[in-house]
Each structure stands twice: as C-alpha cells, then as structure tokens.
C-alpha cells in the first residue's frame, strides 16, 4: 500500500514536476514572456496620444510615452517602428500641453483668490 507521496513516482505531471500539458500559444521561442507584443504597444500608445489631445491629456500623454518606449524596445538604437516613435513624440507634446494648461488654470490671476 502506497503512503503519502509514493504514488507520484509513476505520474510525473502531478505535483508540478513538468510544465503544462498544453503549451502556451506564445511559447514558440520567438517571443518569451507574456504581455502584448511591440506592434500592439505602438498602436496602443498612438491611440493614447491622439486621444490625449481631446481628453485627460495629463494621464494619456505619459501612458503614450510609456507604451511607445516599450514598443521601441526601451532603446533609441536600431530601427524604430513608426507608430512607437510617433506615440512617444505626441505623448510628450500632449503631456507638455496638459502641464501648461494646469499651470495656467492654477494661477492666482483669475480673480478667485
């Protein structure tokens, strides 16, 4: 009669001795790790940058910069995808305009104080 733990010798998949029975669809060796790929991050950053000009620029501008930077592979060297570069540039402009707007809105020259 088998005691506790002795029954797992014949079944290596139990108790976490092997990987998943069904491989991850992303485990093709081309891309390691999870998360969206670079092209998706570039497009998301571009959408955030454009939307930031119309609403919530102080939030969407830095989000566009981060997405664009991650889409470029966190490096300025090498070939840069165009959506990622545009996302970083528009995100920086968007953030700067939002900061200028906030600084102008918080000034004391508006007669409220």
């Amino acid at each position: 009669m088998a005691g506790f733990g002795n029954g797992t010798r014949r079944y290596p998949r139990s108790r976490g001795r092997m990987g998943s029975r069904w491989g991850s669809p992303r485990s093709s060796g081309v891309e390691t790790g999870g998360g969206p790929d670079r092209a998706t991050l570039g497009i998301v950053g571009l959408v955030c940058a454009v939307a930031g000009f119309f609403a919530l620029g102080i939030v969407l501008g830095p989000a566009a910069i981060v997405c664009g930077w991650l889409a470029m592979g966190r490096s300025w060297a090498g070939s840069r995808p165009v959506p990622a570069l545009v996302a970083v540039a528009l995100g920086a402009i968007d953030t700067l305009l939002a900061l200028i707007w906030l600084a102008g809105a918080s000034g004391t020259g508006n007669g409220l104080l």
Side-chain angles (χ1 to χ4, degrees), residues 84-112:
L85 189 62
V86 172
V88 170
L90 289 180
I93 293 169
D94 191 20
T95 304
L96 184 65
L97 288 175
L99 288 174
I100 291 172
W101 181 78
L102 282 175
S106 65
T108 58
N110 56 9
L112 294 176

Side-chain angles (χ1 to χ4, degrees), residues 45-99:
L46 189 60
V47 169
C48 284
V50 171
F53 282 111
F54 301 105
L56 294 173
I58 196 68
V59 175
L60 293 174
I65 294 172
V66 169
C67 287
W69 179 249
L70 291 175
M72 286 194 295
R74 298 179 296 177
S75 173
W76 290 106
S79 64
R80 295 181 289 274
V82 174
L85 189 62
V86 172
V88 170
L90 289 180
I93 293 169
D94 191 20
T95 304
L96 184 65
L97 288 175
L99 288 174

